[in-house]
Amino acid sequence: MRLRLPGLLFLLMLTGLWVSFPTTVLAKERCRVSVDTILASRQGSGVDARLKKDVSELQNMFNYTSYQLLSSKTLNLKKGESGTVSLPGNRRLKITPHNIHENRADIALQMMKKKRTVFQSQIQLLNRGSLFVGGPKYENGNLIFKISGSY
């Protein structure tokens, strides 16, 4: 069997497209979402050293004197796949990326306590961006969630 040069070049180009195509498509099919749980309080003062890069934004958005990082969790989710983060006070935050397009991801948030939904929202998150969401009362303050994403 003799393969002519144009046919061989076409086959090599097609193979090259096949190898590069899935990585281009899959890059937008997954979303890495991080959730930092912060306890904000008016009792005492001080900022957890792990929150130094966020302190000015926290203080501009929320009226508290103390910020303590309670936990951090990162989920690597496919589009349409849900992941759950455990929160203080027997709560869970369910996160589902729905659409990932250009430099934004549409993400559904659903907070549950026991089996009851207590909060749900849809957000748009910029690639490598983050936002703060004020949460429920907890101990001597309130919870704040920093939600960050990259894809």
Side-chain angles (χ1 to χ4, degrees), residues 23-109:
T23 56
T24 311
V25 171
L26 292 179
K28 295 283 185 166
E29 293 294 316
R30 296 195 77 77
C31 187
R32 184 177 168 166
V33 180
S34 299
V35 178
D36 292 342
T37 303
I38 301 162
L39 176 60
S41 174
R42 290 184 184 89
Q43 295 180 353
S45 62
V47 176
D48 191 314
R50 297 169 292 178
L51 296 171
K52 277 190 176 179
K53 67 181 188 297
D54 298 316
V55 70
S56 67
E57 192 171 357
L58 281 166
Q59 290 173 334
N60 285 333
M61 293 177 64
F62 302 101
N63 187 21
Y64 296 99
T65 56
S66 170
Y67 298 93
Q68 177 187 2
L69 181 64
L70 299 180
S71 66
S72 292
K73 172 105 186 230
T74 300
L75 303 170
N76 190 6
L77 302 169
K78 293 180 194 172
K79 187 169 84 170
E81 177 183 23
S82 295
T84 304
V85 175
S86 295
L87 304 174
N90 294 319
R91 295 176 180 92
R92 294 178 323 280
L93 182 62
K94 181 178 170 185
I95 300 168
T96 310
H98 287 293
N99 291 315
I100 303 169
H101 48 89
E102 294 184 20
N103 65 341
R104 295 182 187 273
D106 295 326
I107 299 174
L109 304 175

Side-chain angles (χ1 to χ4, degrees), residues 37-41 62 64 70 87-93 111-113 116 118-119 133-145:
T37 303
I38 301 162
L39 176 60
S41 174
F62 302 101
Y64 296 99
L70 299 180
L87 304 174
N90 294 319
R91 295 176 180 92
R92 294 178 323 280
L93 182 62
M111 185 183 298
M112 296 166 284
K113 186 168 185 176
R116 198 182 95 218
V118 294
F119 168 83
V133 178
K137 291 185 185 292
Y138 180 71
E139 290 183 356
N140 61 347
N142 281 75
L143 296 176
I144 296 173
F145 308 105

